[in-house]
Amino acid sequence: MKSKGKAVKRSRQPSVETDQEFQPEPELEPGSSEQEGSEVSLRLGSRRGRGGADAGVASGPKRRRQHSSAKERNVRRLESNERERQRMHKLNNAFQALREAIPHVKTEKKLSKIETLTLAKNYIKSLTTIILGMSSGCLPHAEGQEHASAAKLLQCYQKQLEDESEAGLAQFLTQIHSFSQGS
DNA sequence: TAGGCCATCTGGTCCT
DNA sequence: AGGACCAGATGGCCTA
């Protein structure tokens, strides 16, 4: 288990506050406000937006709406940072749930995100294979048509959900479990 | 020490 | 308009 001292990670947050101190408060010369966080924008000179749109940068002095003071922007940025942090925490919780859902050998070592995704994918694939084998009796399975069978299987599964709700699902899972134990 | 993994910040874009 | 999503940048921690 990797116990990384991630709590220290706030180091970059003060940069915003620094920025705030840095700003000469209201006297923003019209136009000069685009220099916001001058140090930052210099450092990020090579950055690209999603899809390489590069919006305002390459297309000349297109100026962003300045509807707020530096202080307001700071507040919004901090709020935005907090939301992003929460979002990433949710994402990490989902990763953790996924880790716990997939069996793996080295239980003492925490799976990395990429490992988790890869294992999950393989796990799903192998389960699908098992289920397809198991259900070949009740599902028409033409050779070389795994996708079609998988689709039918999914329909079957969804129908179980509709018809019998949780009980049906439980039974379905039990079947899968006992089958995989037996094989 | 290098490389992998990660958390966080940041600004652009998309969506509601 | 504002929040969600995304990807690049940065720096810290850990292991080989």
Side-chain angles (χ1 to χ4, degrees):
Chain A
M1 195 198 291
K2 293 183 189 177
S3 62
K4 304 187 177 186
K6 296 298 184 188
V8 196
K9 282 293 184 173
R10 296 309 191 96
S11 58
R12 288 177 59 99
Q13 192 165 358
S15 73
V16 177
E17 285 154 13
T18 308
D19 190 24
Q20 191 173 9
E21 289 176 338
F22 214 60
Q23 296 287 344
E25 274 290 305
E27 311 274 24
L28 294 172
E29 238 182 309
S32 72
S33 70
E34 295 315 301
Q35 296 290 338
E36 65 183 33
S38 47
E39 172 213 341
V40 174
S41 35
L42 277 180
R43 178 160 39 90
L44 302 178
S46 66
R47 289 177 51 175
R48 291 285 176 278
R50 185 166 52 185
D54 207 15
V57 183
S59 55
K62 193 163 153 188
R63 99 178 22 173
R64 238 181 296 148
R65 215 186 354 255
Q66 43 171 316
H67 45 50
S68 55
S69 68
K71 203 167 186 175
E72 283 173 295
R73 283 199 306 269
N74 252 337
V75 170
R76 258 206 296 280
R77 201 355 100 185
L78 290 178
E79 288 171 350
S80 181
N81 288 350
E82 177 63 23
R83 281 193 301 274
E84 178 66 4
R85 233 176 289 135
Q86 294 303 320
R87 196 180 70 83
M88 295 310 291
H89 287 166
K90 277 194 213 166
L91 183 63
N92 288 337
N93 288 341
F95 264 107
Q96 187 52 39
L98 186 57
R99 275 186 198 105
E100 289 166 10
I102 54 179
H104 65 285
V105 183
K106 301 174 188 171
T107 49
E108 78 282 357
K109 182 182 173 285
K110 182 183 173 188
L111 291 174
S112 71
K113 291 179 179 179
I114 186 71
E115 287 170 336
T116 302
L117 291 178
T118 306
L119 268 181
K121 184 200 74 177
N122 292 340
Y123 187 46
I124 290 170
K125 274 191 167 183
S126 51
L127 281 183
T128 303
T129 304
I130 289 172
I131 295 169
L132 286 177
M134 180 181 78
S135 57
S136 58
C138 66
L139 290 172
H141 182 116
E143 297 209 9
Q145 294 195 354
E146 280 191 20
H147 285 299
S149 294
K152 282 190 183 299
L153 182 64
L154 181 60
Q155 281 177 8
C156 190
Y157 171 73
Q158 284 171 335
K159 193 165 187 318
Q160 291 262 6
L161 282 181
E162 289 165 9
D163 291 350
E164 305 170 50
S165 186
E166 304 249 334
L169 176 60
Q171 190 184 359
F172 189 68
L173 292 176
T174 304
Q175 283 177 350
I176 293 172
H177 184 68
S178 57
F179 182 85
S180 60
Q181 294 289 337
S183 59

